[in-house]
Amino acid sequence: MMKRHLTTALALITGAAVLFFGLNFLLNPEGAPDGFGIEPWPQGNAAGYFAVKGVRDLAVAATVFLLLARGQRRTLGWVVLIDAILPLGDALAVLTHGGSLTTALGVHVSAASVILLTAVMLLTERPAERPAEGSSRRVGAAPDPSNA
């Protein structure tokens, strides 16, 4: 039971972090790039890039929260595993566009590590105990068919 709570907390943190990054790029386009690790383009309009990154992160966060709320923990595990590609791609972008190895590892690879840990924990957890026959189930909670 403790592992399930930890896994839920990690999934919530994963969703919340991506939600924060997405909102930060949408609402703070001047300051958000500093934490990403690539210097903003010296001329032109990088705001389009920030909007794309922000919307991408919001979509990822919404997917995490939706699957968690619907009790689709195994499916969430697969989605989170696939989502680990995003920070790894970000690390590669930092390294190939003048960013530092420290930022690539400290920000993006460390995020990918937490995401991978969360995915493994979700994919290896045991199904929750089902309520006894005749007992009430939480209203609106959909069973996870992959846990059957």
Side-chain angles (χ1 to χ4, degrees), residues 91-110:
L92 183 60
V94 168
L95 291 174
T96 58
H97 290 86
S100 72
L101 178 63
T102 303
T103 301
L105 294 175
V107 174
H108 303 292
V109 174
S110 67

Side-chain angles (χ1 to χ4, degrees), residues 26-116:
L26 290 173
L27 302 175
N28 181 24
E30 297 83 25
D34 293 337
F36 190 80
I38 299 174
E39 290 293 319
W41 191 253
Q43 53 190 322
N45 183 357
Y49 156 74
F50 300 149
V52 169
K53 171 140 178 36
V55 170
R56 174 195 84 171
D57 289 349
L58 293 179
V60 170
T63 303
V64 168
F65 292 138
L66 173 69
L67 291 172
L68 193 57
R70 302 254 327 139
Q72 303 290 319
R73 297 177 72 84
R74 187 144 180 90
T75 302
L76 175 59
W78 287 111
V79 168
V80 169
L81 180 64
I82 293 166
D83 286 347
I85 294 168
L86 296 170
L88 292 174
D90 292 346
L92 183 60
V94 168
L95 291 174
T96 58
H97 290 86
S100 72
L101 178 63
T102 303
T103 301
L105 294 175
V107 174
H108 303 292
V109 174
S110 67
S113 300
V114 172
I115 292 168
L116 288 170

